[in-house]
Structure formats: structure tokens, C-alpha cells
Amino acid sequence: ANAAGIRSLAVLLNGATVIAGDRVLVASATFPAIHGASGVRNFVVGDFIQVFVFQNAGSAVNIDAALEYSPIFWVQKVDRGG
């Protein structure tokens, strides 16, 4: 792990508008930076979302997968029917 810099996450709508995000100033190489972002949003036909991550530690930083937490992304459609 690397204790330098920040780690950030941004969810963009249609490549331009940030609709969710998170930023962590890393204070320890012992504990990983864990991000989370959520929300409820109305989309229309043609909308798309992207997830971007950023770090400025000065060297490569791995994204780790673990049983307790893992890099996941999911979307759920909520429809009232009709």
C-alpha cells in the first residue's frame, strides 16, 4: 500500500456531469482507501454512466479485490410498471 496522496472516484452521466463521487486523503499505508458512492437517479433513453478513478500517489497503485470488499459496480432498474 501507499500512504501518499489522494484517491478519488467519480460517476459521470453522459460523459460530463458528476452525479456521485468520493475522495479519500490516504493517511496510512496499513489501511486501504475504500470508496463508496450511491444514489437514485432518473435516466432517459440514451443516457450512459461511466466510473472514473484517480490517484496522485506518484507511482502506480493497485486496485485490490478481497472477500470483505471488492471493486464492484451495479445498477438496478426501478420501474413502477405500466
Side-chain angles (χ1 to χ4, degrees):
N2 185 314
I6 63 166
R7 314 291 187 266
S8 62
L9 157 80
V11 181
L12 271 67
L13 172 63
N14 298 327
T17 305
V18 176
I19 59 173
D22 189 28
R23 176 174 282 181
V24 176
L25 176 61
V26 180
S28 168
T30 306
F31 300 102
I34 299 175
H35 293 277
S38 64
V40 176
R41 181 97 181 183
N42 290 322
F43 296 102
V44 298
V45 173
D47 281 348
F48 65 95
I49 53 177
Q50 299 167 291
V51 177
F52 288 91
V53 294
F54 170 81
Q55 62 87 13
N56 68 351
S59 61
V61 176
N62 295 331
I63 296 176
D64 296 325
L67 293 177
E68 295 80 18
Y69 59 93
S70 182
I72 59 172
F73 176 78
W74 59 270
V75 175
Q76 181 176 3
K77 181 180 180 182
V78 179
D79 190 353
R80 58 188 163 146

